[in-house]
Amino acid sequence: MPRGLLVLLAAALLVSGCAGSDTRASPLTGTPAPADAPALAVKVDNSPAGRPWTGVEDADVVYVEPVEGGTTRLLAVFSSRLPASVGPVRSARESDVTVLGAYGRPGLAFSGSAPELAGTLAGASLVPLTPQTAGSAFRRDAARRAPVNLYADPAALLAAAGGASPPRDIGFRFGATPSGGEVVRHRDVVFGTAELGLTWNAVRGRWLVEPGGGDPAVPATGGEPIGVATVLIQRVTTRPSAIRDAAGAVSPYAVTTGEGEAEVLRDGRAYPARWSRPTPTDPTAVLGPDRRPVAFAPGPVWVLLVPAGG
């Protein structure tokens, strides 16, 4: 029996075993999760100085977003489970607001933002969580230097985010391994001057994440390298935003509405696709050449927002 079908059967058995309890198939992972668990997004550093990450291994979905200087940051979304700590927490960007528009009303934890973004954040359907609004949920790590020394307690963040809602359908569809596809054991993805490697580990049934094109990422707390079931490589248009960093570099805005080329990596294979999303509150459809949804493997998903033509 194909491995993808076995995973689905196991998930179905787990759901049936939890009959009567308040669980559902998570719209973020396709696996059983508490039905009323709010969505919490945390902006995480992705520079060499900010690694290894803390808590990212427990995220349901991780977005890799282009930022100023050709580098990237992570937007890690938690709902099914919460780590004890997550970070280093960094500042929000305009792209975060649009990405999270499909989730409903998630919490968004970040260290701060440029003044130009204040109005956008205030008017967005999310609960902003910063050291100013949820101070007791944040701490500084004396062993690290600012700005990569800010960490947060997700449970405390959610306690401060009373209006955060469970995630809605964001467009992911989960199922058995599709037919066809190209056998892929490794993929390097380039974002300007940044690079992310992905290597298929058949024993674990996961893509190992290799930031900077180097060794697989191991959580700061130790353990196995971070692995994900599905990777969506989503090619997006970028345009300058109103935000500049301290050096004056303009932060790009990743346009996640409209449509574009995509590629889905799962089960050691790559599937060509196109993505489409009419408005920020709509889910993102990921369709194959046959115009049918490309099924993701149940489990954590990473979405790489790669500048088109990059």
Side-chain angles (χ1 to χ4, degrees), residues 284-307:
T284 299
V286 181
L287 306 179
D290 59 359
R291 302 300 297 169
R292 295 173 62 86
V294 179
F296 291 8
V301 178
W302 276 47
V303 181
L304 314 187
L305 300 178
V306 182

PDB file of all heavy atoms in Angstrom, residues 284-307:
ATOM      1  N   THR A 284      -5.897  30.003  -0.846  1.00  0.00           N
ATOM      2  CA  THR A 284      -5.032  29.863  -2.015  1.00  0.00           C
ATOM      3  C   THR A 284      -5.267  28.499  -2.657  1.00  0.00           C
ATOM      4  O   THR A 284      -5.064  27.463  -2.015  1.00  0.00           O
ATOM      5  CB  THR A 284      -3.550  29.996  -1.619  1.00  0.00           C
ATOM      6  OG1 THR A 284      -3.329  31.289  -1.055  1.00  0.00           O
ATOM      7  CG2 THR A 284      -2.639  29.813  -2.825  1.00  0.00           C
ATOM      8  N   ALA A 285      -5.698  28.491  -3.907  1.00  0.00           N
ATOM      9  CA  ALA A 285      -5.883  27.242  -4.645  1.00  0.00           C
ATOM     10  C   ALA A 285      -4.555  26.851  -5.291  1.00  0.00           C
ATOM     11  O   ALA A 285      -3.869  27.698  -5.884  1.00  0.00           O
ATOM     12  CB  ALA A 285      -6.955  27.405  -5.710  1.00  0.00           C
ATOM     13  N   VAL A 286      -4.182  25.584  -5.163  1.00  0.00           N
ATOM     14  CA  VAL A 286      -2.961  25.064  -5.787  1.00  0.00           C
ATOM     15  C   VAL A 286      -3.398  23.938  -6.720  1.00  0.00           C
ATOM     16  O   VAL A 286      -3.785  22.857  -6.270  1.00  0.00           O
ATOM     17  CB  VAL A 286      -1.963  24.547  -4.733  1.00  0.00           C
ATOM     18  CG1 VAL A 286      -0.691  24.047  -5.413  1.00  0.00           C
ATOM     19  CG2 VAL A 286      -1.628  25.643  -3.724  1.00  0.00           C
ATOM     20  N   LEU A 287      -3.367  24.203  -8.026  1.00  0.00           N
ATOM     21  CA  LEU A 287      -3.913  23.285  -9.010  1.00  0.00           C
ATOM     22  C   LEU A 287      -2.822  22.762  -9.940  1.00  0.00           C
ATOM     23  O   LEU A 287      -1.898  23.496 -10.314  1.00  0.00           O
ATOM     24  CB  LEU A 287      -4.998  23.972  -9.849  1.00  0.00           C
ATOM     25  CG  LEU A 287      -6.145  24.630  -9.078  1.00  0.00           C
ATOM     26  CD1 LEU A 287      -7.125  25.278 -10.057  1.00  0.00           C
ATOM     27  CD2 LEU A 287      -6.855  23.627  -8.186  1.00  0.00           C
ATOM     28  N   GLY A 288      -2.949  21.496 -10.322  1.00  0.00           N
ATOM     29  CA  GLY A 288      -2.027  20.888 -11.261  1.00  0.00           C
ATOM     30  C   GLY A 288      -2.414  21.191 -12.692  1.00  0.00           C
ATOM     31  O   GLY A 288      -3.402  21.899 -12.955  1.00  0.00           O
ATOM     32  N   PRO A 289      -1.657  20.661 -13.666  1.00  0.00           N
ATOM     33  CA  PRO A 289      -1.983  20.892 -15.080  1.00  0.00           C
ATOM     34  C   PRO A 289      -3.386  20.437 -15.458  1.00  0.00           C
ATOM     35  O   PRO A 289      -3.961  20.948 -16.425  1.00  0.00           O
ATOM     36  CB  PRO A 289      -0.911  20.077 -15.810  1.00  0.00           C
ATOM     37  CG  PRO A 289       0.236  20.004 -14.847  1.00  0.00           C
ATOM     38  CD  PRO A 289      -0.401  19.911 -13.493  1.00  0.00           C
ATOM     39  N   ASP A 290      -3.963  19.496 -14.706  1.00  0.00           N
ATOM     40  CA  ASP A 290      -5.323  19.020 -14.981  1.00  0.00           C
ATOM     41  C   ASP A 290      -6.387  19.890 -14.328  1.00  0.00           C
ATOM     42  O   ASP A 290      -7.574  19.555 -14.366  1.00  0.00           O
ATOM     43  CB  ASP A 290      -5.487  17.568 -14.524  1.00  0.00           C
ATOM     44  CG  ASP A 290      -5.224  17.391 -13.027  1.00  0.00           C
ATOM     45  OD1 ASP A 290      -4.893  18.389 -12.345  1.00  0.00           O
ATOM     46  OD2 ASP A 290      -5.329  16.257 -12.541  1.00  0.00           O
ATOM     47  N   ARG A 291      -5.963  21.017 -13.700  1.00  0.00           N
ATOM     48  CA  ARG A 291      -6.841  21.970 -13.033  1.00  0.00           C
ATOM     49  C   ARG A 291      -7.503  21.390 -11.794  1.00  0.00           C
ATOM     50  O   ARG A 291      -8.517  21.888 -11.313  1.00  0.00           O
ATOM     51  CB  ARG A 291      -7.911  22.504 -13.998  1.00  0.00           C
ATOM     52  CG  ARG A 291      -7.350  23.190 -15.235  1.00  0.00           C
ATOM     53  CD  ARG A 291      -6.497  24.382 -14.878  1.00  0.00           C
ATOM     54  NE  ARG A 291      -7.272  25.425 -14.208  1.00  0.00           N
ATOM     55  CZ  ARG A 291      -6.746  26.481 -13.603  1.00  0.00           C
ATOM     56  NH1 ARG A 291      -5.426  26.623 -13.548  1.00  0.00           N
ATOM     57  NH2 ARG A 291      -7.517  27.391 -13.031  1.00  0.00           N
ATOM     58  N   ARG A 292      -6.947  20.311 -11.283  1.00  0.00           N
ATOM     59  CA  ARG A 292      -7.436  19.718 -10.040  1.00  0.00           C
ATOM     60  C   ARG A 292      -6.455  20.049  -8.923  1.00  0.00           C
ATOM     61  O   ARG A 292      -5.251  20.216  -9.168  1.00  0.00           O
ATOM     62  CB  ARG A 292      -7.590  18.209 -10.188  1.00  0.00           C
ATOM     63  CG  ARG A 292      -8.647  17.806 -11.202  1.00  0.00           C
ATOM     64  CD  ARG A 292      -8.627  16.294 -11.429  1.00  0.00           C
ATOM     65  NE  ARG A 292      -8.948  15.573 -10.204  1.00  0.00           N
ATOM     66  CZ  ARG A 292     -10.183  15.296  -9.805  1.00  0.00           C
ATOM     67  NH1 ARG A 292     -11.224  15.690 -10.514  1.00  0.00           N
ATOM     68  NH2 ARG A 292     -10.392  14.614  -8.687  1.00  0.00           N
ATOM     69  N   PRO A 293      -6.933  20.138  -7.657  1.00  0.00           N
ATOM     70  CA  PRO A 293      -6.019  20.446  -6.556  1.00  0.00           C
ATOM     71  C   PRO A 293      -4.900  19.417  -6.441  1.00  0.00           C
ATOM     72  O   PRO A 293      -5.130  18.212  -6.597  1.00  0.00           O
ATOM     73  CB  PRO A 293      -6.927  20.408  -5.323  1.00  0.00           C
ATOM     74  CG  PRO A 293      -8.296  20.684  -5.848  1.00  0.00           C
ATOM     75  CD  PRO A 293      -8.342  20.038  -7.200  1.00  0.00           C
ATOM     76  N   VAL A 294      -3.704  19.901  -6.188  1.00  0.00           N
ATOM     77  CA  VAL A 294      -2.571  19.010  -5.922  1.00  0.00           C
ATOM     78  C   VAL A 294      -2.608  18.652  -4.445  1.00  0.00           C
ATOM     79  O   VAL A 294      -2.529  19.539  -3.586  1.00  0.00           O
ATOM     80  CB  VAL A 294      -1.231  19.678  -6.274  1.00  0.00           C
ATOM     81  CG1 VAL A 294      -0.072  18.728  -5.966  1.00  0.00           C
ATOM     82  CG2 VAL A 294      -1.201  20.080  -7.751  1.00  0.00           C
ATOM     83  N   ALA A 295      -2.742  17.373  -4.143  1.00  0.00           N
ATOM     84  CA  ALA A 295      -2.863  16.941  -2.748  1.00  0.00           C
ATOM     85  C   ALA A 295      -1.529  17.065  -2.028  1.00  0.00           C
ATOM     86  O   ALA A 295      -0.493  16.610  -2.521  1.00  0.00           O
ATOM     87  CB  ALA A 295      -3.362  15.505  -2.692  1.00  0.00           C
ATOM     88  N   PHE A 296      -1.560  17.675  -0.838  1.00  0.00           N
ATOM     89  CA  PHE A 296      -0.397  17.752   0.028  1.00  0.00           C
ATOM     90  C   PHE A 296      -0.344  16.489   0.896  1.00  0.00           C
ATOM     91  O   PHE A 296      -1.369  15.856   1.156  1.00  0.00           O
ATOM     92  CB  PHE A 296      -0.481  18.970   0.949  1.00  0.00           C
ATOM     93  CG  PHE A 296      -0.343  20.309   0.268  1.00  0.00           C
ATOM     94  CD1 PHE A 296      -0.315  20.430  -1.118  1.00  0.00           C
ATOM     95  CD2 PHE A 296      -0.251  21.472   1.026  1.00  0.00           C
ATOM     96  CE1 PHE A 296      -0.198  21.678  -1.726  1.00  0.00           C
ATOM     97  CE2 PHE A 296      -0.130  22.711   0.437  1.00  0.00           C
ATOM     98  CZ  PHE A 296      -0.101  22.806  -0.946  1.00  0.00           C
ATOM     99  N   ALA A 297       0.846  16.158   1.369  1.00  0.00           N
ATOM    100  CA  ALA A 297       0.992  15.058   2.329  1.00  0.00           C
ATOM    101  C   ALA A 297       0.557  15.546   3.704  1.00  0.00           C
ATOM    102  O   ALA A 297       0.907  16.658   4.107  1.00  0.00           O
ATOM    103  CB  ALA A 297       2.441  14.578   2.374  1.00  0.00           C
ATOM    104  N   PRO A 298      -0.232  14.782   4.442  1.00  0.00           N
ATOM    105  CA  PRO A 298      -0.619  15.211   5.790  1.00  0.00           C
ATOM    106  C   PRO A 298       0.606  15.475   6.655  1.00  0.00           C
ATOM    107  O   PRO A 298       1.547  14.671   6.689  1.00  0.00           O
ATOM    108  CB  PRO A 298      -1.419  14.013   6.313  1.00  0.00           C
ATOM    109  CG  PRO A 298      -1.933  13.336   5.089  1.00  0.00           C
ATOM    110  CD  PRO A 298      -0.841  13.491   4.067  1.00  0.00           C
ATOM    111  N   GLY A 299       0.605  16.595   7.337  1.00  0.00           N
ATOM    112  CA  GLY A 299       1.724  16.972   8.189  1.00  0.00           C
ATOM    113  C   GLY A 299       2.113  18.423   7.969  1.00  0.00           C
ATOM    114  O   GLY A 299       1.426  19.169   7.254  1.00  0.00           O
ATOM    115  N   PRO A 300       3.208  18.863   8.580  1.00  0.00           N
ATOM    116  CA  PRO A 300       3.628  20.263   8.477  1.00  0.00           C
ATOM    117  C   PRO A 300       3.915  20.676   7.034  1.00  0.00           C
ATOM    118  O   PRO A 300       4.394  19.875   6.222  1.00  0.00           O
ATOM    119  CB  PRO A 300       4.903  20.323   9.325  1.00  0.00           C
ATOM    120  CG  PRO A 300       4.834  19.123  10.211  1.00  0.00           C
ATOM    121  CD  PRO A 300       4.105  18.072   9.446  1.00  0.00           C
ATOM    122  N   VAL A 301       3.633  21.944   6.743  1.00  0.00           N
ATOM    123  CA  VAL A 301       3.819  22.507   5.404  1.00  0.00           C
ATOM    124  C   VAL A 301       4.727  23.736   5.497  1.00  0.00           C
ATOM    125  O   VAL A 301       4.552  24.572   6.389  1.00  0.00           O
ATOM    126  CB  VAL A 301       2.467  22.918   4.780  1.00  0.00           C
ATOM    127  CG1 VAL A 301       2.674  23.546   3.413  1.00  0.00           C
ATOM    128  CG2 VAL A 301       1.527  21.710   4.685  1.00  0.00           C
ATOM    129  N   TRP A 302       5.679  23.833   4.577  1.00  0.00           N
ATOM    130  CA  TRP A 302       6.450  25.068   4.422  1.00  0.00           C
ATOM    131  C   TRP A 302       6.070  25.681   3.080  1.00  0.00           C
ATOM    132  O   TRP A 302       5.966  24.965   2.066  1.00  0.00           O
ATOM    133  CB  TRP A 302       7.955  24.800   4.469  1.00  0.00           C
ATOM    134  CG  TRP A 302       8.504  24.724   5.871  1.00  0.00           C
ATOM    135  CD1 TRP A 302       7.979  24.030   6.912  1.00  0.00           C
ATOM    136  CD2 TRP A 302       9.679  25.387   6.370  1.00  0.00           C
ATOM    137  NE1 TRP A 302       8.749  24.203   8.037  1.00  0.00           N
ATOM    138  CE2 TRP A 302       9.792  25.023   7.735  1.00  0.00           C
ATOM    139  CE3 TRP A 302      10.621  26.220   5.793  1.00  0.00           C
ATOM    140  CZ2 TRP A 302      10.838  25.491   8.536  1.00  0.00           C
ATOM    141  CZ3 TRP A 302      11.680  26.674   6.587  1.00  0.00           C
ATOM    142  CH2 TRP A 302      11.774  26.322   7.954  1.00  0.00           C
ATOM    143  N   VAL A 303       5.837  26.988   3.090  1.00  0.00           N
ATOM    144  CA  VAL A 303       5.498  27.734   1.866  1.00  0.00           C
ATOM    145  C   VAL A 303       6.636  28.709   1.588  1.00  0.00           C
ATOM    146  O   VAL A 303       6.907  29.597   2.402  1.00  0.00           O
ATOM    147  CB  VAL A 303       4.172  28.497   2.023  1.00  0.00           C
ATOM    148  CG1 VAL A 303       3.830  29.236   0.730  1.00  0.00           C
ATOM    149  CG2 VAL A 303       3.041  27.522   2.401  1.00  0.00           C
ATOM    150  N   LEU A 304       7.279  28.553   0.463  1.00  0.00           N
ATOM    151  CA  LEU A 304       8.408  29.417   0.089  1.00  0.00           C
ATOM    152  C   LEU A 304       7.901  30.466  -0.893  1.00  0.00           C
ATOM    153  O   LEU A 304       7.527  30.137  -2.027  1.00  0.00           O
ATOM    154  CB  LEU A 304       9.533  28.592  -0.536  1.00  0.00           C
ATOM    155  CG  LEU A 304       9.934  27.302   0.154  1.00  0.00           C
ATOM    156  CD1 LEU A 304      11.185  26.710  -0.510  1.00  0.00           C
ATOM    157  CD2 LEU A 304      10.180  27.507   1.635  1.00  0.00           C
ATOM    158  N   LEU A 305       7.853  31.712  -0.454  1.00  0.00           N
ATOM    159  CA  LEU A 305       7.394  32.806  -1.300  1.00  0.00           C
ATOM    160  C   LEU A 305       8.598  33.342  -2.088  1.00  0.00           C
ATOM    161  O   LEU A 305       9.300  34.252  -1.646  1.00  0.00           O
ATOM    162  CB  LEU A 305       6.752  33.898  -0.446  1.00  0.00           C
ATOM    163  CG  LEU A 305       5.539  33.450   0.377  1.00  0.00           C
ATOM    164  CD1 LEU A 305       5.003  34.597   1.219  1.00  0.00           C
ATOM    165  CD2 LEU A 305       4.430  32.896  -0.524  1.00  0.00           C
ATOM    166  N   VAL A 306       8.814  32.734  -3.239  1.00  0.00           N
ATOM    167  CA  VAL A 306      10.021  32.998  -4.017  1.00  0.00           C
ATOM    168  C   VAL A 306       9.731  34.068  -5.057  1.00  0.00           C
ATOM    169  O   VAL A 306       8.763  33.939  -5.833  1.00  0.00           O
ATOM    170  CB  VAL A 306      10.500  31.711  -4.718  1.00  0.00           C
ATOM    171  CG1 VAL A 306      11.794  31.974  -5.496  1.00  0.00           C
ATOM    172  CG2 VAL A 306      10.708  30.601  -3.697  1.00  0.00           C
ATOM    173  N   PRO A 307      10.528  35.136  -5.117  1.00  0.00           N
ATOM    174  CA  PRO A 307      10.307  36.168  -6.141  1.00  0.00           C
ATOM    175  C   PRO A 307      10.342  35.566  -7.541  1.00  0.00           C
ATOM    176  O   PRO A 307      11.272  34.835  -7.903  1.00  0.00           O
ATOM    177  CB  PRO A 307      11.471  37.145  -5.926  1.00  0.00           C
ATOM    178  CG  PRO A 307      11.808  36.987  -4.470  1.00  0.00           C
ATOM    179  CD  PRO A 307      11.598  35.519  -4.186  1.00  0.00           C
TER     180      PRO A 307
END
